[in-house]
Amino acid sequence: MSKLPNCPQCNSEFTYEDGSQYICPECAHEWSKDAGAANVETARVWKDANGNVLQDGDSVTVIKDLKIKGSSSVVKVGTKVKNIRLIDGDHDIDCKIDGIGAMQLKSEFVKKA
């Protein structure tokens, strides 16, 4: 019996075949047998201003004063942000900043702490 590929979403080793597709029972991701290796290569990688890879739960430091749209407040250089969440989109970091609240940042304006 040949080894089935791990899930490209959650890296689970418990995948199974169903017709012309592979299915992951842990995250319910489905992908075709032909695109098994191609999906792994297209996984999104988030990087900070210095090129360090970011992950959910990391702490980052703001490297530039950032004006908050619709407000007179500013996120100052050196502000430390803990427990970030990575999301898709233009502003790819979702976080809470002490004294300001929930907001989204661009990864190009932070460095990994």
Side-chain angles (χ1 to χ4, degrees), residues 3-95:
K3 173 146 175 32
L4 297 175
N6 289 355
C7 175
Q9 289 273 6
C10 68
N11 204 28
S12 170
E13 61 185 26
F14 303 111
T15 57
Y16 63 91
E17 293 179 80
D18 185 22
S20 64
Q21 293 199 335
Y22 293 121
I23 299 175
C24 175
E26 291 187 18
C27 70
H29 180 67
E30 299 179 8
W31 70 101
S32 70
K33 290 181 181 179
D34 299 338
N39 286 346
V40 174
E41 295 173 11
T42 60
R44 171 103 192 257
V45 176
W46 290 267
K47 294 185 178 185
D48 69 359
N50 296 330
N52 298 318
V53 176
L54 296 173
Q55 296 178 340
D56 283 341
D58 281 346
S59 293
V60 295
T61 305
V62 177
I63 63 168
K64 177 183 175 183
D65 282 347
L66 301 172
K67 294 180 184 176
I68 299 174
K69 198 172 197 176
S71 172
S72 61
S73 301
V74 175
V75 178
K76 295 287 189 179
V77 171
T79 301
K80 190 161 186 172
V81 181
K82 298 177 186 174
N83 197 21
I84 64 169
R85 286 174 303 221
L86 301 172
I87 57 174
D88 287 325
D90 185 34
H91 291 73
D92 45 11
I93 295 175
D94 196 22
C95 61

